[in-house]
Amino acid sequence: MTATPETLRAPLVVEFPFTRSLGPVQSAFLTGLRERTLLGVRTEAGRVLVPPVEYDPESAAELRDLVEVDATGTVTTWAWNPEPRPGQPLATPFAWVLVRLDGADTALLHALDAPGPDAVRTGMRVRVRWAPERHGAITDIACFEPYDGARRETPPRPHDGRFDEPVTGIVAPARLDYTYSPGRAQTRYLHALGERRTVGERCPSCAKVYVPPRGACPTCGVATTDRVEVGPRGTVTTFCIVNIKAKNAMNDAIEVPYVYAHIALDGAGLALHGRIAGIPYDQVRMGLRVEPVWSDDGRYPDHYRPSGEPDADYDTYKELL
């Protein structure tokens, strides 16, 4: 009986820049932060929402009635963060707080600079600490800090939302760090890749071979334990041309445009994703026969290239599209 290899665990980082354009309300809000001005929007019912939104959450009506609120407010709830992560507002322990700014009816999430959790409480008064350099982003608020002043009762002040050089778009970095454990089926799959073999698992009910294996058949709902070696060659079933700059797993830049494809490995019941290289991007086609090109360390296929075989007949892969 073959021993089950030790289940793998590894740190994994998913990171990308998220670019978006701004409508008139969000543009005014972020431009206002750059100018040390806090803007909200008034709903049909007269409530002031900070941060502002473009449509009324109750009536779905378009909202454009901007108002200015104060840079002071009240903590409505909080949670202590003892170990700040890279990219968070403060490098020292701080509290995440929801702050209802004076003049607003909703709360804004940000960081509170406090010496410890004993110094934070619901109902405490705080004020904005502005960043020394501001560019039109939520980070223009460096954090909140404790404030001894009472709540101002003056109503929100109307604002036309006009600024010189308004912010019209943002690039927000997104990053997720976690530890990934692939489980029994994919651990075996990854160990086999280290031997330059591709191994899937067959469903005992429908006989479909899943690569990578999932441990259970998503169609039949039964466990898959029968291991099946597939490939190494396969057929391109569908593909797309990519014009976004990227790097491969070895951190080498990939020349654009390039092609990502669904590849049905010989013997597999599903197509997997793979990059196609070794052929001009505009010559990649459905039915193209390909073979793996392994990474420098031999642990996984870095990409697939034409195998030199004749194209596969459509009827041989049409069920795998």
Side-chain angles (χ1 to χ4, degrees), residues 13-316:
V13 176
V14 179
E15 185 176 17
F16 60 92
F18 178 69
T19 303
R20 61 159 293 183
S21 58
L22 302 173
V25 172
Q26 298 297 326
S27 174
F29 175 66
L30 293 181
T31 309
L33 294 183
R34 188 189 67 197
E35 306 301 324
R36 298 176 55 149
T37 299
L38 290 160
L39 295 181
V41 67
R42 195 187 305 274
T43 69
E44 288 186 324
R47 301 176 71 237
V48 174
L49 311 182
V50 181
V53 295
E54 296 181 343
Y55 296 93
D56 192 315
E58 296 179 354
S59 68
E62 187 176 14
L63 299 178
R64 292 292 183 268
D65 186 9
L66 294 169
V67 294
E68 182 178 350
V69 299
D70 292 330
T72 56
T74 303
V75 172
T76 63
T77 190
W78 61 278
W80 187 251
N81 181 11
E83 297 181 4
R85 300 177 66 85
Q88 291 188 335
L90 298 172
T92 55
F94 65 91
W96 287 112
V97 289
L98 283 172
V99 177
R100 184 183 294 119
L101 295 169
D102 295 341
D105 295 296
T106 57
L108 172 72
L109 175 66
H110 216 294
L112 171 65
D113 187 5
D118 293 341
V120 187
R121 67 185 187 281
T122 297
M124 72 180 294
R125 296 285 294 161
V126 295
R127 65 182 175 188
V128 169
R129 180 191 298 168
W130 295 103
E133 296 183 5
R134 298 174 303 281
H135 308 283
I138 193 61
T139 49
D140 291 349
I141 299 176
C143 63
F144 283 89
E145 60 188 15
Y147 172 63
D148 294 332
R151 173 183 169 86
R152 293 179 58 181
E153 299 300 333
T154 55
R157 302 165 294 282
H159 197 287
D160 61 12
R162 296 178 182 174
F163 296 94
D164 293 334
E165 299 180 5
V167 177
T168 58
I170 60 172
V171 178
R175 180 185 174 99
L176 178 64
D177 296 74
Y178 63 98
T179 300
Y180 175 66
S181 181
R184 172 196 60 81
Q186 290 200 12
T187 290
R188 287 177 167 173
Y189 169 75
L190 293 172
H191 278 292
L193 285 183
E195 301 170 357
R196 297 197 175 194
R197 298 184 301 117
T198 303
V199 175
E201 290 186 351
R202 178 183 287 116
C203 172
S205 178
C206 67
K208 184 171 290 186
V209 177
Y210 290 95
V211 182
R214 308 176 185 189
C217 176
T219 302
C220 304
V222 298
T224 55
T225 58
D226 184 13
R227 304 177 69 205
V228 179
E229 185 167 346
V230 300
R233 293 181 174 182
T235 300
V236 171
T237 61
T238 58
F239 64 93
C240 67
I241 298 172
V242 182
N243 289 285
I244 301 173
K245 293 181 179 179
K247 294 183 179 181
N248 61 18
M250 295 173 287
N251 209 35
D252 297 325
I254 300 173
E255 183 178 353
V256 294
Y258 57 94
V259 172
Y260 249 88
H262 277 164
I263 302 168
L265 296 181
D266 296 345
L270 283 179
L272 51 73
H273 294 88
R275 181 168 60 92
I276 307 298
I279 183 175
Y281 74 91
D282 56 357
Q283 293 183 21
V284 177
R285 56 198 178 271
M286 295 172 64
L288 178 68
R289 293 286 294 167
V290 294
E291 61 185 8
V293 175
W294 294 84
S295 60
D296 291 343
D297 57 14
R299 294 170 57 189
Y300 52 86
D302 175 68
H303 60 272
Y304 288 78
R305 67 186 177 193
S307 66
E309 302 168 273
D311 287 0
D313 185 85
Y314 176 73
D315 287 339
T316 64

